[in-house]
Amino acid sequence: MSFSLKKIGPGLLFAGAAIGVSHLVQSTRAGADFGFGLIWALLLVNIFKYPFFQFGPRYAMATGETLLDGYKKLGKGVLIAYFILTIATMFTIQTAVTIVTAGLAESIFGDFISTKIWTVIILSICFVILIIGKYSFLDKLMKFIIVTLTLSTIVAVCFAFKNSTQPTALTQVFPNAMQFGFLIAFMGWMPAPLDISVWHSLWAIEKKKEDTDFSVKSSLFDFNVGYFATIILGLGFLALGALVMFNSGENFSGKADVFSNQLISMYTKSLGNWSYLIIGIAAFTTMFSTTLTTLDASPRAMVKTTQLLFGNQMKRSYLVWILILISGTILIFFKFKSDMALLITIATVLSFITAPLYAIANYVLISSRHTPKEWRPSTGIHILSWLGLLFLVGFSIWYIALNKDMFIQFYDWLTQLL
């Protein structure tokens, strides 16, 4: 299939949603703490999650309906489970990505505006973009954002390799028991939470409305472009962490504004003050794109879910859900501003342990009679899906068994919030 920028859209929205905390924070920290030693985990989780993400646009274009419609066909209980999981996680996820974006804004544009005010400003800008520009503008904007992000990251990595005095040994390591929690958090959002497959199916349907030639084949090409970009940039940020921060003796702060200053200053110390603008653009673009796409996707998914569950939809329901998400995000942010690290850990771990549920639902749906036979998975994708399920289920059970105390801490955190 010949390359056409017009055929690219939902895949870059996927990339914009994916390339955020998982890359800027978790991948950089992986490189800072383990050098190049966790490349195996980054590649493995991307390989094993691949089919379950791909099933989103594949199902949408093969049937003309979203994964949420498919979940209802599997049984109303599946859709209810999705509704509950989304309510339980969407505010924490939105807060986690927004708090990092606000911290970066304060670092780059000056601390004359507090992180709290930056949070409100960023959410307001995203709100205006989504309400006025709608999907069409989001589609066009994300092309520019991802190209800018990719180029600035590649430039930064090239100069980091040139200037680094760190050895570039590729010896792989497996974290010890004390570090296992970070491994799960790292893989939880690498390249993204699996519920983004639902978002992708929604975006694919919107793309089809604007481009009637957008087919199953073009949607899979579009998806592969976005997915490949997330892998490359994940490796890029891991390399930056390894080349600039590994063995530096620095520890990341759990506060958003301090973390952002640490992140940018450590790069500029190693690469030179000239790199401040490049690193700043790469970092802020990364997180702004994630904040924007997640603010669009969660309300879009909740509109569709409530419509399928409860029937007639109220007017302006998309607007209502965005306002609910913004309000919840600001509430959590103002209450737990100092606990950025806790919020990110909770969000990423929850994403990892719920991943098997989305993986099973997506696999059952794409393999069922609800999907046209010609677009069901090939033997190779079936095998990869089975291996992926074993990987996700196995690691989730292992992690839950080893970290009962953390789940008690999460329960206490949730109790405080409510």
Side-chain angles (χ1 to χ4, degrees), residues 132-149:
I132 296 178
K134 302 186 184 300
Y135 175 83
S136 179
F137 183 74
L138 182 63
D139 187 10
K140 293 181 177 67
L141 179 63
M142 201 51 59
K143 291 182 174 71
F144 171 76
I145 287 177
I146 295 300
V147 169
T148 302
L149 168 60

Side-chain angles (χ1 to χ4, degrees), residues 208-240:
K208 182 68 173 179
K209 293 177 183 177
E210 298 187 351
D211 182 2
T212 55
D213 293 328
F214 195 63
S215 62
V216 179
K217 287 185 178 180
S218 56
S219 71
L220 293 180
F221 173 75
D222 165 67
F223 167 75
N224 287 331
V225 169
Y227 202 80
F228 183 72
T230 66
I231 296 174
I232 294 300
L233 290 173
L235 290 170
F237 279 108
L238 187 147
L240 285 172

Side-chain angles (χ1 to χ4, degrees), residues 8-9 12-13 124-146 203 206-207 210 288 292-293 296 300 318:
I8 303 299
L12 293 188
L13 293 180
S124 299
I125 292 172
C126 291
F127 174 78
V128 171
I129 289 173
L130 294 175
I131 295 302
I132 296 178
K134 302 186 184 300
Y135 175 83
S136 179
F137 183 74
L138 182 63
D139 187 10
K140 293 181 177 67
L141 179 63
M142 201 51 59
K143 291 182 174 71
F144 171 76
I145 287 177
I146 295 300
W203 288 324
E206 289 297 317
K207 179 71 173 179
E210 298 187 351
F288 182 80
L292 179 62
T293 48
D296 171 76
R300 195 181 292 275
Y318 176 70

Side-chain angles (χ1 to χ4, degrees), residues 15-266:
I19 303 167
V21 171
S22 62
H23 290 61
L24 186 66
V25 180
Q26 302 293 65
S27 291
T28 304
R29 184 181 166 192
D33 292 350
F34 301 94
F36 290 94
L38 291 185
I39 288 179
W40 68 269
L42 188 151
L43 294 177
L44 200 62
V45 76
N46 273 282
I47 291 170
F48 283 146
K49 283 186 177 181
Y50 173 84
F52 309 116
F53 281 121
Q54 190 221 62
F55 295 158
R58 178 191 285 265
Y59 180 80
M61 290 298 95
T63 64
E65 61 184 27
T66 70
L67 280 179
L68 294 171
D69 294 285
Y71 288 172
K72 187 177 182 181
K73 290 180 178 179
L74 293 179
K76 201 170 183 179
V78 177
L79 196 59
I80 292 173
Y82 174 81
F83 178 83
I84 294 171
L85 285 174
T86 301
I87 287 292
T89 59
M90 71 178 190
F91 297 103
T92 307
I93 289 173
Q94 189 67 49
T95 306
V97 299
T98 306
I99 194 173
V100 180
T101 311
L104 286 167
E106 183 177 353
S107 299
I108 296 169
F109 301 114
D111 57 4
F112 61 93
I113 298 177
S114 68
T115 308
K116 288 183 178 181
I117 301 302
W118 271 119
T119 299
V120 176
I121 292 173
I122 289 167
L123 289 172
S124 299
I125 292 172
C126 291
F127 174 78
V128 171
I129 289 173
L130 294 175
I131 295 302
I132 296 178
K134 302 186 184 300
Y135 175 83
S136 179
F137 183 74
L138 182 63
D139 187 10
K140 293 181 177 67
L141 179 63
M142 201 51 59
K143 291 182 174 71
F144 171 76
I145 287 177
I146 295 300
V147 169
T148 302
L149 168 60
T150 302
L151 292 176
S152 57
T153 304
I154 289 174
V155 169
V157 172
C158 289
F159 276 98
F161 268 109
K162 180 181 178 181
N163 297 336
S164 177
T165 57
Q166 296 281 359
T168 56
L170 297 179
T171 303
Q172 299 301 288
V173 299
F174 191 90
N176 59 38
M178 295 295 293
Q179 301 164 326
F180 188 66
F182 171 73
L183 177 65
I184 293 298
F186 175 52
M187 294 192 296
W189 270 10
M190 179 54 63
L194 264 182
D195 51 329
I196 290 186
S197 60
V198 174
W199 304 357
H200 199 155
S201 71
L202 290 160
W203 288 324
I205 295 297
E206 289 297 317
K207 179 71 173 179
K208 182 68 173 179
K209 293 177 183 177
E210 298 187 351
D211 182 2
T212 55
D213 293 328
F214 195 63
S215 62
V216 179
K217 287 185 178 180
S218 56
S219 71
L220 293 180
F221 173 75
D222 165 67
F223 167 75
N224 287 331
V225 169
Y227 202 80
F228 183 72
T230 66
I231 296 174
I232 294 300
L233 290 173
L235 290 170
F237 279 108
L238 187 147
L240 285 172
L243 294 169
V244 176
M245 302 179 189
F246 187 51
N247 288 331
S248 69
E250 291 278 350
N251 293 316
F252 281 125
S253 170
K255 296 183 178 180
D257 51 349
V258 179
F259 166 84
S260 301
N261 282 321
Q262 284 180 310
L263 185 70
I264 296 177
S265 66
M266 289 183 75

Side-chain angles (χ1 to χ4, degrees), residues 357-380:
L357 302 178
Y358 291 107
I360 292 169
N362 289 0
Y363 177 68
V364 170
L365 181 61
I366 204 71
S367 304
S368 71
R369 59 182 175 82
H370 303 300
T371 304
K373 190 172 183 180
E374 64 269 28
W375 296 117
R376 294 174 195 171
S378 63
T379 301

Side-chain angles (χ1 to χ4, degrees), residues 301-376:
M302 293 307 291
V303 169
K304 184 68 176 180
T305 304
T306 52
Q307 182 182 26
L308 291 170
L309 285 175
F310 308 116
N312 293 334
Q313 193 67 44
M314 60 182 173
K315 292 182 179 180
R316 300 184 179 275
S317 52
Y318 176 70
L319 172 63
V320 171
W321 275 108
I322 285 185
L323 292 175
I324 290 172
L325 182 55
I326 289 175
S327 300
T329 298
I330 292 174
L331 175 65
I332 295 174
F333 180 84
F334 275 61
K335 190 172 181 64
F336 293 95
K337 174 181 178 292
S338 61
D339 289 328
M340 182 195 76
L342 176 62
L343 283 171
I344 290 176
T345 298
I346 289 171
T348 51
V349 169
L350 278 177
S351 294
F352 190 86
I353 62 175
T354 57
L357 302 178
Y358 291 107
I360 292 169
N362 289 0
Y363 177 68
V364 170
L365 181 61
I366 204 71
S367 304
S368 71
R369 59 182 175 82
H370 303 300
T371 304
K373 190 172 183 180
E374 64 269 28
W375 296 117
R376 294 174 195 171

